[in-house]
Amino acid sequence: MREQKSGTGKRRGHPSFDRARCAQSGKVIRRYRTQAGMTQSELAERLGVSTGAVGYWEQGTVRPDMDTLIRLHDVLHMPVAELLGVTDEPVLSHADRGMLNQFHALNPRNRETVLMIMDRMLTEQEVRQDAVLRQAYMGLTLYEESAAAGVSVPMREDAGEKKVYVPSVVVPLGTDCIIHVNGDSMEPTYPNGSYVYVNTKQGVQYGQTGIFIVSGASYIKEYEPEGLVSHNARYKTIRITDGNEVRCFGCVTGIVGETDMARGELLEKLELAFSEGKD
């Protein structure tokens, strides 16, 4: 049986069918149609298709065939490349084209030599960049367990952790990990949802803030003679009595800035720079 061609396109068996692309195409058609001040019926009449076909396109159910795409371009002045989700290839600058022409003018042996030199230079450049990153950043452990500033949460022995990277100049002396604050009992000093720097090797003196494990639950509190004190007056002091099993996890050395922890492409570079086997 011959497959019938129509303005609605072919959903089954069409090699270019993709749900996400169809949805994107529908948004593009709707945008250009409304910009042209046309209804679906008016566009359908101009194209010689049914109103239902236009509706299916805009819903992202199907995508127009190539002949219809050309007519859509003529009627709505809509770039076909945008409808297909195709981006223009980057245009080489005059200098780039010149270098590429010079490379192609070399004989095969000289091309291989140039590639070897480039590879060696890129490797040396990467080694230098990694050394700079390792000098400028510190790797710290971020514990996935939160320290409660309000309702307590258990501190498990197998608490998850991951490595994060922070500029060395902003890390308080002695800091070796970061912990998330959960709750508002230490506001405004340590807001709910913030992160704090912690030195797990340093004990806590009166007047200092620390991370404490009380009967298996973790808290961020200020250590005072009367007990573990909250900065938010709505919360009661946790008394240290014989009935409470209290352990100091570490001393809070500061609050983590919103942009302190590296993210995105920088984080990927840092993970490579600090990875084992890097010189």
Side-chain angles (χ1 to χ4, degrees):
M1 179 184 295
R2 293 183 61 187
E3 194 168 20
Q4 184 178 1
K5 180 179 179 182
S6 74
T8 60
K10 297 170 287 186
R11 175 167 181 163
R12 299 185 182 275
H14 196 296
S16 64
F17 175 78
D18 180 278
R19 190 176 301 277
R21 289 188 176 182
C22 280
Q24 179 59 30
S25 297
K27 293 178 182 178
V28 173
I29 293 172
R30 185 184 302 111
R31 174 157 52 87
Y32 277 90
R33 175 181 62 77
T34 54
Q35 287 177 356
M38 299 174 64
T39 65
Q40 288 185 348
S41 298
E42 290 171 339
L43 177 59
E45 185 177 355
R46 293 283 299 273
L47 297 174
V49 299
S50 68
T51 303
V54 177
Y56 285 133
W57 298 339
E58 294 189 358
Q59 291 170 12
T61 305
V62 292
R63 190 163 60 181
D65 58 29
M66 190 55 66
D67 290 341
T68 309
L69 288 178
I70 295 173
R71 284 183 285 154
L72 277 167
H73 166 75
D74 294 337
V75 173
L76 298 179
H77 307 291
M78 178 180 60
V80 175
E82 183 178 358
L83 182 64
L84 295 174
V86 178
T87 57
D88 294 335
E89 291 294 325
V91 179
L92 291 176
S93 66
H94 179 73
D96 288 341
R97 286 198 302 271
M99 285 189 288
L100 188 60
N101 290 336
Q102 287 181 321
F103 178 78
H104 284 297
L106 297 172
N107 61 45
R109 183 176 179 181
N110 286 339
R111 288 184 195 175
E112 185 176 351
T113 301
V114 169
L115 291 174
M116 290 175 59
I117 294 172
M118 289 174 62
D119 184 64
R120 184 171 68 248
M121 293 177 69
L122 287 171
T123 300
E124 292 174 352
Q125 178 178 293
E126 180 182 316
V127 169
R128 288 194 298 270
Q129 290 175 342
D130 287 347
V132 170
L133 288 174
R134 290 196 299 270
Q135 185 176 8
Y137 282 81
M138 282 183 62
L140 297 173
T141 299
L142 171 63
Y143 287 100
E144 295 179 358
E145 294 283 8
S146 297
V151 180
S152 64
V153 292
M155 175 63 82
R156 298 178 293 113
E157 293 295 332
D158 60 344
E161 58 185 61
K162 67 177 181 179
K163 187 70 72 175
V164 295
Y165 300 93
V166 182
S168 301
V169 294
V170 305
V171 179
L173 185 64
T175 297
D176 55 18
C177 72
I178 292 174
I179 292 181
H180 182 247
V181 176
N182 178 30
D184 64 352
S185 74
M186 290 300 284
E187 291 186 348
T189 315
Y190 303 104
N192 179 30
S194 62
Y195 292 84
V196 291
Y197 292 112
V198 178
N199 181 351
T200 61
K201 300 178 180 64
Q202 178 182 330
V204 179
Q205 305 297 319
Y206 288 146
Q208 292 182 324
T209 299
I211 306 297
F212 299 92
I213 313 300
V214 182
S215 299
S218 63
Y219 294 88
I220 174 172
K221 298 295 178 185
E222 183 176 316
Y223 181 46
E224 295 292 352
E226 63 269 28
L228 306 181
V229 178
S230 299
H231 290 183
N232 187 334
R234 293 192 299 108
Y235 291 82
K236 295 180 179 180
T237 297
I238 299 175
R239 305 292 177 181
I240 300 176
T241 64
D242 293 339
N244 286 335
E245 181 186 348
V246 180
R247 177 169 62 90
C248 179
F249 181 80
C251 180
V252 173
T253 56
I255 188 166
V256 180
E258 292 184 2
T259 60
D260 283 3
M261 289 186 282
R263 295 176 175 82
E265 185 177 346
L266 175 58
L267 175 59
E268 294 177 3
K269 291 181 179 179
L270 286 162
E271 288 174 338
L272 287 174
F274 281 84
S275 63
E276 293 184 11
K278 283 280 187 179
D279 296 327

